[in-house]
Amino acid sequence: MSVSTKKQKQELPLSSDSRLESDFSLIIGPPKRGKSHLIRWLIIEGMMQGKWDHIVVCTPTKHSGDYDFISPQSCIHGDPGKGGKKFVQVAETLMKQQQYISVKLGRAPKKGEGRVLFVLDDGLGSVHWNEEIWTRLSTTYRHYGIDFMVSTQSITKIPRSFYITASKGYLFRLDMMTDIDYLWERWVGTFETGLKNHNELNDYMKSNMPIEAYKYLKIDRNKSSDNVELTKAPPRSQFGHFKVQL
């Protein structure tokens, strides 16, 4: 897989994290805060860093235009509220494929050997999370060379195994204190971030993350210090010209 563009534009700001170990990322926030835009940028950034051989995106039909930069066969659409059977089938097929590759190699595949990014964008309105595949995926993904991104606005419906496993979080401003309390209890408050409690997280969001700014907190659980960063994705005008070639 490679990234191409019809014309050269200014150099894009890549993060320094180009490690190839598997990541499980949660992207959390209310509607219209920029979650799908961020995912688009993370895909482009990861491709420029050479992280993946394949990309699979599962998204409700209403979001299909957000992923017009990747090949149609890599973007699976499913209507909300129907149980996400199509998404389950995609996940099960992906797991079998990656398990086969890993067994053959005797380890998780690296770039060039079948490494995959699996994105579930706003799927919580489409998926029944009692399906066994989601627990299996969230506990064995790193053994099969899968990077996993889950985007949601319904944080209380995220399976507990996702919170236990998630290595990175991208948190847009939350408006409901009950959501902040829940997120703190299940994830942010379970490791050191420099934030003392849920009230401090709430105050920080209100003071530093105006809704119209599309800013988010990036929290990296793998880092022992300096693991919280306030940032935002570049505007689409800077990377909308990129295309995925598989």
Side-chain angles (χ1 to χ4, degrees):
M1 175 171 38
S2 62
V3 187
S4 69
T5 175
K6 294 181 179 179
K7 57 182 179 179
Q8 295 296 319
K9 293 197 174 184
Q10 67 185 83
E11 184 176 350
L12 295 173
L14 293 180
S15 69
S16 59
D17 183 7
S18 59
R19 297 169 299 174
L20 291 179
E21 67 264 23
S22 296
D23 281 331
F24 192 130
S25 301
L26 295 176
I27 300 170
I28 296 173
K32 308 298 182 182
R33 297 291 163 87
K35 297 187 298 296
S36 295
H37 174 80
L38 172 60
I39 291 175
R40 184 183 180 108
W41 164 241
L42 292 175
I43 291 175
I44 295 292
E45 182 184 45
M47 286 162 42
M48 289 190 291
Q49 293 174 339
K51 285 190 172 183
W52 309 298
D53 298 296
H54 307 289
I55 295 173
V56 178
V57 176
C58 290
T59 179
T61 304
K62 64 179 180 178
H63 286 174
S64 59
D66 292 323
Y67 300 102
D68 55 2
F69 68 108
I70 64 177
S71 56
Q73 63 266 30
S74 297
C75 191
I76 292 84
H77 309 308
D79 294 324
K82 295 186 178 180
K85 291 183 179 179
K86 187 185 296 185
F87 295 168
V88 169
Q89 292 171 353
V90 170
E92 288 177 340
T93 300
L94 177 64
M95 283 282 287
K96 290 177 182 177
Q97 166 194 303
Q98 294 303 110
Q99 185 177 22
Y100 173 80
I101 294 173
S102 300
V103 169
K104 190 173 181 180
L105 291 171
R107 54 172 170 75
K110 300 177 181 179
K111 176 68 172 66
E113 300 174 331
R115 196 166 186 83
V116 175
L117 171 66
F118 182 47
V119 178
L120 191 55
D121 185 4
D122 204 25
L124 297 189
S126 308
V127 176
H128 289 168
W129 290 108
N130 56 356
E131 296 281 356
E132 181 186 357
I133 183 61
W134 304 121
T135 299
R136 288 173 52 213
L137 183 59
S138 63
T139 55
T140 63
Y141 74 103
R142 58 169 52 93
H143 303 299
Y144 299 151
I146 302 172
D147 285 346
F148 193 18
M149 290 184 192
V150 178
S151 165
T152 179
Q153 52 188 279
S154 304
I155 66 174
T156 59
K157 295 182 180 179
I158 297 175
R160 190 175 186 87
S161 61
F162 284 18
Y163 283 115
I164 293 172
T165 307
S167 54
K168 291 180 182 177
Y170 300 83
L171 314 181
F172 289 85
R173 175 172 165 171
L174 300 172
D175 299 322
M176 302 293 293
M177 193 63 196
T178 52
D179 286 342
I180 292 176
D181 289 346
Y182 190 90
L183 185 61
W184 180 268
E185 178 184 346
R186 288 296 178 98
W187 197 66
V188 181
T190 63
F191 55 97
E192 181 59 44
T193 60
L195 296 167
K196 296 178 181 178
N197 52 51
H198 58 275
N199 289 320
E200 191 167 304
L201 175 60
N202 179 50
D203 292 342
Y204 187 91
M205 285 185 167
K206 287 184 176 179
S207 300
N208 298 283
M209 302 169 66
I211 294 173
E212 66 278 5
Y214 301 108
K215 291 183 178 180
Y216 58 87
L217 280 178
K218 177 184 176 181
I219 301 179
D220 190 341
R221 195 174 187 171
N222 294 324
K223 294 182 178 180
S224 57
S225 61
D226 298 324
N227 57 358
V228 179
E229 178 185 2
L230 178 64
T231 185
K232 64 185 297 185
R236 189 162 177 169
S237 60
Q238 289 190 23
F239 63 89
H241 53 296
F242 282 87
K243 300 291 182 182
V244 176
Q245 297 178 338
L246 297 174

